[in-house]
Amino acid sequence: LPEGEADVLNGALHGLRVIEVGDFVAVPYCGRLLAGLGADVIKVEPPWGDCARRHGPFLHDQPDPERSGLFLALNMGKRGVVLDLERDDGRARLERLLEGADCLLESQEPERLDRLGLTPGETRRRWPRLVHVSITTFGRRGPYARFRGHALQASAAGAASITIGEPGRPPLALPASQSDYQGGVCGAIGAILACFARERTREGQHVDVSTADVTAFSGGITSTMYTAQGMPWVRAGHRASRSGGSYPYTILPCRDGSICMISRSGHPWKAFVEAIGSPLWTRDPRYRDRARMGREYPDEVDALLAPWLETHTTEDIATICRERGIPFSVVRESREVASCPQLASRDFFVELRHPAAGTLRYPGAPWKFSATPWRIERPAPRLGEHTAEVCGA
Amino acid sequence: MMGGVRPLDGIRVLDFGWVAVGPVIGSLLAEMGAEVIKIESSRRLDYCRLLPPTVSVRGERSASAPAVPDFDKVSMFHNYNRGKLGITVDLQHPEAPALLGRLVARSDVVLENFSPGVLRRIGLHYEALRPLRPDLVMISCSAAGQDGPWSELKTFAPSLSSLAGLEVLIGYPNERVLGALAYGYADPSNAHHGALAVLAALWHRQRTGEGQYIDMSQLEATVGLTMEPLMDWFMNERVWGRQGNNHLSMAPHGHYPCCGDDAWVSIAVEDGDAWSRLVAVLGDVPWARDSRFATLAGRREHGSELDAGLAGWTRERTPWEVTHILQRAGVAAFPVYGLAEQAADPHFQARGLLTRPEHPRIGAMEVYAHPIKLSGTPGEVTGTAPMLGEHNDQVFRELLGLAAEEIERLRAEGVIA
């Protein structure tokens, strides 16, 4: 390994080589995290490209595989090669890449994995030191390992959807493929853990991440607060089931937007009641018992708050809450997130120039590493941009 | 299984985490082999220890007796803190920094999720700890990061994801914001992003001997999950409202009604081939062959007619009947599960979703295992969460080598408390 000053600016995972064979969100998000942390990530696409290239949103709403916002954001920092894995020469090129790799990230359908000779058993036999990370909806083991699924099915199976939406109407999935992002970060964790284990065992292994498992875990650990108090794990519109035990645990509309209001201890609620001028109803014993208000008649309290909320803007309410230490927050749209002073002061958004999409802002990393800064040095690859460089002509 | 090796064997973690994000980072590292010591104080209990179940002050469960939290038996606390050792130190005591500094010298990782400045005020910030352990890896994961105008921000998971631009997406199209308030999405997501950073820093340390400090912002980690609406804003200045179950490149894509009480099935069609497979199994239904539905653009444009047609078919069947029919045809489908169906499901059971560590005094506590499955060196939930101060003697006597009299003195003076 290189030593001395040149090493100082390397990312934490400098020296790890990762081959990514998976499209849309889960594997690409995993690869993006590892790339930003310093790994050399090579993205393998079929000749028709990652399906995120066809997903959008597109620059100026013009569909173009080089101008899909989701693809551009999830694949920055990687090199990209095109290989037709249905052909012998394509597979041979992938196999050569795997010879020199530390990790394979994949999310192929089981039938395709069999056909390509890339099952975990096969990669283990051929490349014993390779860490093989699968990120799929149901995992590679278990009765549903051959089921088809997407983030929607992970949200359904993971008991997330059942908690979102209004009673009697269709449940809602976690939005914008969130289960895939969670599978991605868990895949990245698994990749590094397996690399640590390899230091001792000298062997790679299979990391089997199921986005349904991750979704079930993520809500499950918190669901125990509800089940232990006899509150059902069901959807209850704009609030948590039974208000999570006490009022408020809700999102309510105000004059120009919405406010997320949660008060676990009594103090923030008391401070809020004072801030709205302690109207008469707040002295009624019926509206002083936060447990009963939350569990039995939250609609009544919502209606009593409505006149005040309807005459105040998100900015008014945010100011009042900040001054009084009330942890309510504004429900922000992407426009407000993009101009957030806190994110600006930490240089969270990064600007990158892409030859087809031009100069755009992108979300950066959530970490500041003191010794090994997170860094994205290149935009997402154009389709096949690095095939010659990586695989030879 | 490779000889009982676990990935993080030999790593010791001091876990100042409290409530959710810090504790879940610690429990993940513990499951993967690290020795994780949770630092608590009986003077300021972790909020999660104060949730029900409660017991009466006389130690019996009763509706009329005054109730106090049975803080060693809170289910959520065990889910967030299983597999750790537990010690109690009053962080406000003048002797606390010196005592904890001795533990830092013997540790690899320090993690915390207090508001910025809390550890600095008591002299346990990174710059103060580094001389005690030059290759220390430390992570702080506050709501908004250690600096900036909002660094003092205090949030719960849904208020954080509200600020991050995620909750605004949740609701039926053109209606009010509903949000996902019960699910608490941001907390486990932030814990996983924090754990990833710790592991990357440990990897760097293993190669170079160099430790470091990581300043993580939960707000930033959550904003980074809203790629689609953010990029649409940056590229087209379009603002996304409530998304329902819509998807830019799949239709149908939603939860459809079935026969049964609150019974639903999820169906997602990712491309034209999948649509043809779906139409083939629907049988003789003329609406599905309508040319308006032949393309993705058409199916999205006429989404409500499409959903109504499909619901007419699903409504005649149970969620599992639909799932079997569609999966056999190669169409993505699965029932919308509640917790009971999920716990009883053979697939989740085979994958070890739930496990029941036991404790001699607390008993068995059911917890959700971490969902990262390693074939050769799997993690393991090694025990319940600790009772309050359960491992004071073990940590201070065996690890730090303090004499029994010294430990007694620290107790008497309220340092160990």
Side-chain angles (χ1 to χ4, degrees):
Chain A
L1 289 169
E3 283 179 17
E5 284 190 2
D7 207 35
V8 171
L9 290 175
N10 284 335
L13 302 181
H14 176 71
L16 281 184
R17 177 172 272 204
V18 177
I19 310 299
E20 167 183 318
V21 191
D23 58 6
F24 202 49
V25 171
V27 158
Y29 185 62
C30 180
R32 180 198 201 259
L33 290 166
L34 296 174
L37 291 167
D40 175 18
V41 179
I42 296 169
K43 179 178 184 72
V44 177
E45 292 183 79
W48 50 91
D50 181 329
C51 70
R53 291 185 183 272
R54 295 179 291 284
H55 180 81
F58 296 102
L59 185 65
H60 309 318
D61 294 329
Q62 299 295 314
D64 179 336
E66 300 298 354
R67 292 177 173 185
S68 158
L70 183 68
F71 179 86
L72 291 167
L74 287 174
N75 293 289
M76 43 196 233
K78 306 171 190 175
R79 289 186 288 170
V81 305
V82 164
L83 298 179
D84 186 349
L85 300 180
E86 302 299 331
R87 290 164 49 117
D88 290 345
D89 59 338
R91 281 195 302 279
R93 283 179 158 197
L94 175 64
E95 287 162 7
R96 275 202 297 281
L97 286 177
L98 293 176
E99 292 287 340
D102 296 281
C103 302
L104 165 67
L105 314 176
E106 59 85 10
S107 59
Q108 301 300 311
E109 282 164 7
E111 302 75 28
R112 185 147 198 267
L113 209 62
D114 295 341
R115 205 165 64 237
L116 300 179
L118 287 177
T119 60
E122 194 66 8
T123 59
R124 178 148 171 65
R125 189 181 65 76
R126 298 191 60 186
W127 303 285
R129 285 178 54 82
L130 183 71
V131 169
H132 179 145
V133 180
S134 304
I135 312 172
T136 59
T137 305
F138 292 102
R140 292 265 178 248
R141 285 175 293 111
Y144 311 148
R146 293 191 168 258
F147 273 16
R148 276 175 190 260
H150 301 285
L152 182 78
Q153 277 73 35
S155 181
S161 300
I162 198 72
T163 70
I164 309 172
E166 287 183 344
R169 296 178 71 187
L172 298 174
L174 289 166
S177 304
Q178 290 307 306
S179 293
D180 283 345
Y181 288 86
Q182 297 309 315
V185 65
C186 284
I189 292 170
I192 306 179
L193 287 169
C195 286
F196 271 112
R198 191 177 65 176
E199 298 286 300
R200 297 208 179 82
T201 64
R202 305 279 153 210
E203 292 173 43
Q205 59 180 308
H206 181 221
V207 179
D208 183 17
V209 173
S210 142
T211 58
D213 282 359
V214 178
T215 308
F217 168 86
S218 296
I221 57 174
T222 299
S223 72
T224 55
M225 179 180 93
Y226 292 80
T227 51
Q229 298 186 59
M231 300 186 292
W233 185 246
V234 294
R235 59 200 186 283
H238 58 278
R239 63 177 73 93
S241 168
R242 303 285 195 273
S243 305
S246 61
Y247 196 91
Y249 204 125
T250 188
I251 289 175
L252 293 179
C254 63
R255 195 169 141 195
D256 62 342
S258 302
I259 301 290
C260 178
M261 302 169 60
I262 299 175
S263 180
R264 303 305 289 161
S265 67
H267 169 74
W269 176 248
K270 198 161 158 272
F272 181 71
V273 164
E274 281 166 17
I276 66 171
S278 303
L280 217 49
W281 61 266
T282 61
R283 290 169 224 171
D284 182 338
R286 183 170 175 83
Y287 305 117
R288 300 180 76 87
D289 182 341
R290 294 198 310 121
R292 290 194 61 210
M293 285 154 66
R295 290 167 186 248
E296 295 171 30
Y297 41 87
D299 286 335
E300 281 180 37
V301 194
D302 290 357
L304 290 162
L305 285 175
W308 188 88
L309 288 169
E310 280 162 10
T311 52
H312 289 78
T313 64
T314 51
E315 198 180 323
D316 298 337
I317 299 169
T319 304
I320 288 167
C321 291
R322 195 161 47 240
E323 284 166 357
R324 295 171 186 248
I326 302 166
F328 297 171
S329 67
V330 176
V331 177
R332 298 197 297 185
E333 297 170 332
S334 48
R335 167 178 39 198
E336 301 160 284
V337 173
S339 61
C340 170
Q342 174 67 14
L343 297 174
S345 83
R346 288 171 59 85
D347 298 320
F348 173 65
F349 293 110
V350 297
E351 208 169 80
L352 278 177
R353 199 187 162 279
H354 182 278
T359 302
L360 286 171
R361 292 169 78 199
Y362 296 91
W367 316 286
K368 309 270 184 237
F369 284 82
S370 66
T372 57
W374 187 92
R375 212 169 45 226
I376 290 289
E377 283 171 330
R378 54 170 98 234
R382 281 169 290 149
L383 186 62
E385 182 177 347
H386 304 98
T387 308
E389 174 186 320
V390 172
C391 299
Chain B
M1 182 92 175
M2 299 171 187
V5 171
R6 289 189 297 161
L8 300 179
D9 284 337
I11 297 290
R12 180 174 294 128
V13 178
L14 282 193
D15 176 356
F16 286 89
W18 76 311
V19 189
V21 174
V24 175
I25 297 176
S27 76
L28 171 60
L29 300 177
E31 210 151 312
M32 294 302 168
E35 178 185 274
V36 179
I37 302 172
K38 181 177 174 73
I39 297 155
E40 299 182 82
S41 167
S42 53
R43 288 167 201 266
R44 194 180 182 210
L45 286 178
D46 187 317
Y47 166 75
C48 295
R49 282 203 188 269
L50 298 171
L51 294 167
T54 53
V55 292
S56 81
V57 288
R58 287 180 296 280
E60 59 210 29
R61 284 163 206 274
S62 144
S64 57
V68 297
D70 189 355
F71 49 66
D72 286 328
K73 293 190 178 174
V74 180
S75 181
M76 190 159 86
F77 185 80
H78 284 272
N79 269 282
Y80 288 11
N81 291 285
R82 71 291 181 86
K84 302 178 188 179
L85 304 176
I87 63 173
T88 48
V89 175
D90 177 5
L91 293 185
Q92 301 306 323
H93 195 285
E95 279 195 53
L99 180 65
L100 290 168
R102 295 176 68 175
L103 275 178
V104 170
R106 287 166 177 74
S107 298
D108 303 280
V109 176
V110 169
L111 68 88
E112 64 108 355
N113 63 323
F114 293 122
S115 290
V118 168
L119 287 184
R120 182 174 297 276
R121 282 193 286 281
I122 53 182
L124 289 171
H125 52 298
Y126 177 67
E127 293 81 359
L129 300 181
R130 189 181 182 180
L132 308 173
R133 177 80 193 203
D135 66 349
L136 182 69
V137 168
M138 178 165 174
I139 185 167
S140 297
C141 32
S142 64
Q146 297 296 300
D147 55 24
W150 294 8
S151 61
E152 295 298 316
L153 181 73
K154 288 179 182 56
T155 54
F156 299 94
S159 46
L160 185 93
S161 43
S162 291
L163 284 175
L166 197 60
E167 299 295 325
V168 75
L169 306 175
I170 303 175
Y172 302 95
N174 307 312
E175 297 185 22
R176 69 187 290 178
V177 179
L178 298 181
L181 285 149
Y183 186 80
Y185 177 69
D187 281 344
S189 171
N190 283 315
H192 283 136
H193 284 82
L196 174 62
V198 169
L199 292 171
L202 282 173
W203 182 257
H204 175 75
R205 189 189 75 155
Q206 173 157 301
R207 288 174 51 256
T208 63
E210 182 181 44
Q212 62 183 312
Y213 178 65
I214 305 155
D215 164 12
M216 173 170 145
S217 157
Q218 297 184 31
L219 177 64
E220 291 167 13
T222 312
V223 169
L225 306 170
T226 65
M227 299 288 194
E228 290 179 63
L230 259 183
M231 293 312 293
D232 213 2
W233 171 254
F234 287 143
M235 295 191 309
N236 303 314
E237 300 204 341
R238 180 181 292 113
V239 169
W240 283 31
R242 265 58 69 206
Q243 296 301 301
N245 280 320
N246 292 335
H247 190 283
L248 286 184
S249 57
M250 294 192 210
H253 185 273
H255 295 324
Y256 295 87
C258 294
C259 62
D261 179 31
D262 202 25
W264 305 83
V265 68
S266 64
I267 299 174
V269 167
E270 66 272 7
D271 57 22
D273 289 347
W275 171 246
S276 304
R277 295 193 295 269
L278 175 64
V279 172
V281 294
L282 290 178
D284 187 21
V285 284
W287 67 265
R289 291 179 167 79
D290 188 320
S291 60
R292 291 179 306 167
F293 299 143
T295 63
L296 171 67
R299 292 193 297 276
R300 279 175 51 77
E301 189 184 337
H302 304 285
S304 32
E305 294 101 309
L306 175 72
D307 286 345
L310 192 51
W313 182 79
T314 58
R315 208 175 268 120
E316 309 284 307
R317 294 162 176 83
T318 68
W320 267 113
E321 283 167 359
V322 173
T323 298
H324 286 310
I325 294 169
L326 295 190
Q327 287 289 352
R328 270 200 298 272
V331 174
F334 200 82
V336 174
Y337 266 1
L339 292 176
E341 295 137 304
Q342 185 185 74
D345 182 280
H347 183 79
F348 282 118
Q349 286 179 353
R351 295 182 61 83
L353 180 66
L354 288 157
T355 182
R356 290 174 67 83
E358 293 205 27
H359 185 284
R361 278 173 287 170
I362 297 169
M365 297 298 304
E366 185 171 71
V367 301
Y368 289 81
H370 275 282
I372 299 161
K373 306 297 180 190
L374 278 64
S375 64
T377 63
E380 182 189 8
V381 175
T382 51
T384 65
M387 297 176 72
L388 188 64
E390 179 177 347
H391 302 98
N392 280 335
D393 283 335
Q394 180 182 331
V395 169
F396 293 118
R397 194 177 62 231
E398 293 170 22
L399 180 58
L400 287 192
L402 300 187
E405 309 83 72
E406 175 66 358
I407 294 174
E408 266 325 296
R409 185 190 70 79
L410 290 167
R411 278 208 173 91
E413 295 186 6
V415 189
I416 300 175

